Amino acid sequence: MIVPDLTLFDSLAFSLDQTTSNLQIAEQQLATGKRVIQPSDDPVAYTEAQLSNQQQSAVSNDLLLAQQAQGRLATVDNALANVSSAVNSALVSATQGADGSVDPAQMKLIGGQIQGILDQVITAADLQYAGSHAFAGNQVLTTPFNPLGAYAGDSGTNSVTFSDGTKLQLSFDGKSIFGDNTTGLIGTLSSLMTALNAGNKAAVSATLPQLQAALQTLVQSRSLVGINLNAASNLLNSSNAELTILQTASDSLVGVDVAQAAMHQQETLLQQQALVSLGTSFGKLPLVNILA
Amino acid sequence: MSVNLSSIGLSGISAAEAGIAAIESNITNASNPNYSAESVILGVRDGPLGEGTGVNVLGTVRSEAPFLATQINSTSSSQSYNAAFSQVATLAEQIVAPGAQGDLSQALQSLFNAFTNLSAQPADATVRASAINAAAQFAQVDQNISLNLGRAVADQRSQISNIVTQVNELSGQIAQLNGQIVAVQANGQNGGALKDQRDGLVVQLANLIGASADSNGNVSVGGVPLVSGSSALTLSTTGSGSSLGLQVVLSKGSMQVQLGQIGGQLAGVFAGAASVEQLQTRIDAYATSVATAFNGQHQAGFGLDGSTGNPLFLISGLGGPIGINPAINTQNLAAAASAAGLPGDGSNATAIAALANSLGVDPAYPGSTLGQAFGQIESDFGTTVQNAANNQQQAAASLQSLSQLKGSITGVSLNDQLTHLVQFQNLLQASARAVQTANDLTTFLIQEL
């Protein structure tokens, strides 16, 4: 079979084009660390990686949001812990005030202490975190309790739902936790203060079970906050783990085996050098050089 | 019986000269891809008693491989088709999936993230502004994609008239060559050089439009004639935009050319433009589905100012890209599910963020989330681009292989030619020696007599 010279050079050019293209692919893979850059590189892997990237974006956002939520809930829990401690002090004071040995002057003195506790409770109930009130229901921009304990919030609550379905309650109905100027903890503390100032021991005694009930409500509220705090903590742990898994999955889908790519690059380079060498020897092949 | 020794030798010299002439032509055209090797046909010159009295040059023949030439034209057409298709499809792929810059699905995920954040802090002005920015960014990415895909389609289609002009020029040249070949052959010549030129032009026409030619140089594409003998028909475009078509102008009226009848670069340009236009329509439909779902939920919610029923996005009735509603601001962005829940209720924002996990928001993908649906769009188009690239590579490899095969029949091997050159050189020298011997013999006889 005749092998025309033009075919020889055409074949060489074709082969060089092929190896150059392969070399370019290998170098691009090594430079980017990725096997799949465009959908056409591997449509299935690209799509899977894109979905993984979206999930990573959602989980990363969850992480930031969960950290904020955790900070908010920890502050809420801390406020409720302080209020519980104050209520325990109020219980001690009330028990002392109801004692038969205490005279009216001493009762007034205790009444003053209760006023301080009441102020402390109202300050805690007006807690603000990142510009919004935690115990105002949905009225997050309104100070929920005035200095007298009247409630200006509502009974709404707000939650955030994360990409894995975890739901965290971030705002609370202050009235159901602290009552107001006539009910609940604040109402009881007001009544206690009035009874102490008036020297009415019977009325002081009557507030004791109410204070116990208010303390119980606080415990339940802290429990609710604690559940949310645990959920936030779990979410943070699981999100960190999930991010690692997603990143690994994404890398395995589109990442390149560097050692293999480097080997492939070397092979292709060698192939190209061999072709170039072959091309230079073409000039020596024809009989014309022998016959000359 | 008398023998004309000189005449016999001279016939050998003539044969050697003809052979050397053919070889010189072959050698000088060794690098001409449109050249077919020529060879001299020799025949025995018969004497009156049937004895050999020398050699006759019967003619020069051109090597031909008509079946392979047809296959090469067809494969060239396929390669050109896929190259033209790949060119615009690869560009479209980069527009839709720009890698690190982020695609529409990433903009959508950022939007979902922004609404999740809004659900946690519905009264926060900064978070509200971020949600609006994310919505505007999503609309902007959609607009950019739609605009750039539209430009790619328009650029692609703008090549068509230029290709049609080239087709008509080539058809005219082939028709002219057909006339010249007929005239040359009428004078007893083979017209090899003209046929080579014609074959080269037919290959170009195959590349451009997928045309094929018969042995007489009549060219047609998908059954539609372009060149008939020495007459060329004119191809022209009809319509514009997505209704752009082709027709062949006849002496009386015209003949529509269906796009399925053509091949080569022109078909690739048409198909590439149509494919990218489909992608643009699909992405616009996807963005419209997203916007419709967002609007439906947003309009059910309440802004900080108590307003409700406000759409977040503007949707083009013509199916074009979406836009952010310019009337949306941090006050009327509807994060709350009820007026009573203002300002701290973020449940409508939660409902909007939950669209990320809803199936069938894009009705074209009933079992998929929006993220999966966009992934499917990218994957489908990626497969189209991949197939075109693979087809182009396969066609290039086939073309290389076919060209090698054809070259082994019609090509020029310098080694081969040099061997023949030595052969004819020897013939020339031997024939000259024969003439010299005859001359010496005649001189001797004259002197002796």
Side-chain angles (χ1 to χ4, degrees):
Chain A
M1 189 176 84
I2 289 173
V3 181
D5 295 72
L6 190 61
T7 304
L8 279 178
F9 285 102
D10 277 351
S11 297
L12 179 66
F14 181 78
S15 301
L16 277 170
D17 281 348
Q18 292 285 99
T19 51
T20 305
S21 172
N22 290 341
L23 200 58
Q24 191 185 17
I25 291 168
E27 283 174 355
Q28 188 186 36
Q29 288 184 350
L30 282 170
T32 60
K34 287 183 177 176
R35 179 181 63 85
V36 180
I37 295 167
Q38 291 289 320
S40 57
D41 293 334
D42 184 341
V44 174
Y46 183 89
T47 304
E48 292 288 325
Q50 283 298 94
L51 290 173
S52 175
N53 288 343
Q54 288 164 27
Q55 223 173 329
Q56 282 181 58
S57 170
V59 174
S60 297
N61 191 63
D62 284 351
L63 265 175
L64 288 174
L65 201 53
Q67 281 166 355
Q68 289 171 12
Q70 193 181 36
R72 183 184 181 92
L73 289 167
T75 307
V76 167
D77 184 56
N78 192 42
L80 290 176
N82 289 339
V83 170
S84 295
S85 176
V87 172
N88 277 320
S89 298
L91 264 171
V92 172
S93 299
T95 307
Q96 201 181 350
D99 192 87
S101 62
V102 178
D103 61 28
Q106 286 173 317
M107 285 178 77
K108 271 194 177 178
L109 201 61
I110 295 169
Q113 290 170 2
I114 296 299
Q115 174 69 61
I117 290 171
L118 179 60
D119 290 346
Q120 191 184 343
V121 168
I122 288 173
T123 301
D126 283 340
L127 171 72
Q128 233 183 335
Y129 187 89
S132 74
H133 291 279
F135 298 111
N138 281 328
Q139 302 306 308
V140 292
L141 300 179
T142 305
T143 304
F145 295 95
N146 69 10
L148 297 175
Y151 185 59
D154 61 24
S155 59
T157 57
N158 191 43
S159 303
V160 59
T161 305
F162 293 86
S163 64
D164 68 346
T166 300
K167 197 173 175 179
L168 298 182
Q169 186 177 333
L170 298 178
S171 69
F172 300 88
D173 171 9
K175 189 175 178 181
S176 70
I177 298 171
F178 303 107
D180 61 9
N181 53 343
T182 58
T183 63
L185 175 61
I186 293 173
T188 303
L189 287 173
S190 295
S191 301
L192 175 60
M193 190 178 65
T194 305
L196 285 166
N197 286 339
N200 184 347
K201 289 189 177 175
V204 171
S205 296
T207 63
L208 286 172
Q210 290 170 11
L211 280 175
Q212 289 288 1
L215 193 60
Q216 193 54 41
T217 302
L218 282 172
V219 169
Q220 286 169 359
S221 299
R222 277 197 76 191
S223 169
L224 175 66
V225 172
I227 289 168
N228 281 282
L229 260 174
N230 281 339
S233 178
N234 291 339
L235 181 69
L236 284 171
N237 290 335
S238 64
S239 294
N240 274 318
E242 194 180 353
L243 266 184
T244 308
I245 292 167
L246 286 169
Q247 186 60 53
T248 307
S250 184
D251 287 348
S252 71
L253 282 165
V254 300
V256 69
D257 181 335
V258 176
Q260 203 174 7
M263 188 66 78
H264 181 60
Q265 187 213 23
Q266 287 303 311
E267 281 172 8
T268 313
L269 202 56
L270 200 62
Q271 202 176 2
Q272 198 178 38
Q273 284 167 349
L275 284 167
V276 171
S277 169
L278 187 65
T280 55
S281 68
F282 274 1
K284 300 167 189 166
L285 283 177
L287 274 177
V288 69
N289 292 312
I290 300 163
L291 296 172
Chain B
M1 186 184 75
S2 66
V3 176
N4 188 341
L5 289 175
S6 296
S7 167
I8 294 172
L10 285 171
S11 74
I13 291 172
S14 295
E17 284 175 346
I20 290 169
I23 288 167
E24 281 181 356
S25 173
N26 288 343
I27 289 173
T28 51
N29 280 288
S31 296
N32 180 355
N34 296 321
Y35 181 76
S36 293
E38 292 182 344
S39 56
V40 172
I41 304 294
L42 302 176
V44 180
R45 185 195 289 174
D46 293 335
L49 300 175
E51 77 283 12
T53 59
V55 62
N56 273 337
V57 177
L58 299 177
T60 305
V61 290
R62 171 178 175 264
S63 306
E64 289 184 354
F67 176 73
L68 284 171
T70 306
Q71 291 296 310
I72 285 173
N73 286 348
S74 167
T75 310
S76 289
S77 167
S78 172
Q79 191 195 16
S80 298
Y81 172 93
N82 286 299
F85 186 97
S86 290
Q87 197 178 10
V88 70
T90 303
L91 175 64
E93 186 185 33
Q94 284 167 355
I95 291 169
V96 175
Q101 293 165 37
D103 63 10
L104 194 60
S105 67
Q106 284 166 289
L108 181 60
Q109 185 57 52
S110 297
L111 180 57
F112 283 131
N113 291 346
F115 271 89
T116 301
N117 295 343
L118 181 63
S119 73
Q121 293 171 277
D124 189 300
T126 308
V127 177
R128 295 177 75 84
S130 293
I132 294 170
N133 284 342
Q137 180 63 24
F138 175 73
Q140 187 63 56
V141 172
D142 174 46
Q143 285 167 20
N144 289 345
I145 289 174
S146 191
L147 181 72
N148 289 328
L149 288 179
R151 280 183 184 154
V153 170
D155 285 350
Q156 184 80 342
R157 288 201 172 118
S158 70
Q159 299 175 39
I160 289 172
S161 62
N162 185 36
I163 297 172
V164 166
T165 303
Q166 289 180 56
V167 167
N168 287 331
E169 283 173 4
L170 289 170
S171 297
Q173 289 172 28
I174 290 171
Q176 201 177 359
L177 282 169
N178 283 346
Q180 290 173 4
I181 289 167
V182 169
V184 166
Q185 284 177 334
N187 290 334
Q189 295 169 12
N190 74 351
L194 295 172
K195 285 179 182 174
D196 284 343
Q197 281 183 48
R198 185 176 69 187
D199 285 354
L201 295 176
V202 170
V203 170
Q204 287 182 46
L205 212 46
N207 277 326
L208 284 177
I209 195 171
S212 58
D214 65 15
S215 57
N216 294 319
N218 297 311
V219 180
S220 62
V221 56
V224 178
L226 289 179
V227 178
S228 178
S230 57
S231 302
L233 299 171
T234 305
L235 186 71
S236 65
T237 57
T238 60
S240 62
S242 57
S243 60
L244 192 66
L246 295 170
Q247 66 177 7
V248 166
V249 181
L250 304 171
S251 55
K252 290 179 181 175
S254 60
M255 181 193 287
Q256 285 295 315
V257 180
Q258 302 302 315
L259 297 182
Q261 291 178 286
I262 64 169
Q265 186 186 356
L266 191 56
V269 167
F270 269 110
S275 181
V276 173
E277 198 166 50
Q278 274 178 6
L279 177 68
Q280 183 190 17
T281 305
R282 183 81 282 286
I283 287 175
D284 282 343
Y286 172 82
T288 299
S289 298
V290 173
T292 303
F294 267 75
N295 282 353
Q297 193 59 53
H298 189 265
Q299 286 175 305
F302 291 80
L304 286 179
D305 58 1
S307 65
T308 186
N310 297 313
L312 182 61
F313 292 108
L314 297 181
I315 299 170
S316 163
L318 300 172
I322 62 165
I324 183 78
N325 179 1
I328 288 295
N329 55 44
T330 54
Q331 287 302 301
N332 60 18
L333 183 71
S338 67
L342 293 170
D345 171 31
S347 52
N348 196 51
T350 302
I352 290 173
L355 289 171
N357 300 318
S358 299
L359 301 181
V361 173
D362 183 343
Y365 300 93
S368 303
T369 63
L370 283 168
Q372 289 166 339
F374 193 77
Q376 195 59 52
I377 292 170
E378 286 185 319
S379 173
D380 287 347
F381 195 73
T383 304
T384 303
V385 176
Q386 191 183 47
N387 287 342
N390 288 342
N391 290 342
Q392 190 190 350
Q393 277 181 6
Q394 282 172 11
S398 297
L399 194 58
Q400 179 64 20
S401 179
L402 286 166
S403 297
Q404 278 182 8
L405 204 55
K406 182 172 177 279
S408 71
I409 298 169
T410 66
V412 176
S413 161
L414 287 177
N415 290 344
D416 187 53
Q417 296 299 320
L418 285 166
T419 308
H420 284 106
L421 185 64
V422 171
Q423 182 190 342
F424 280 112
Q425 224 174 350
N426 289 342
L427 175 62
L428 184 67
Q429 285 171 351
S431 296
R433 178 60 64 88
V435 172
Q436 178 67 47
T437 304
N439 190 40
D440 290 349
L441 189 60
T442 306
T443 306
F444 172 76
L445 287 172
I446 291 169
Q447 286 171 352
E448 290 299 317
L449 290 173

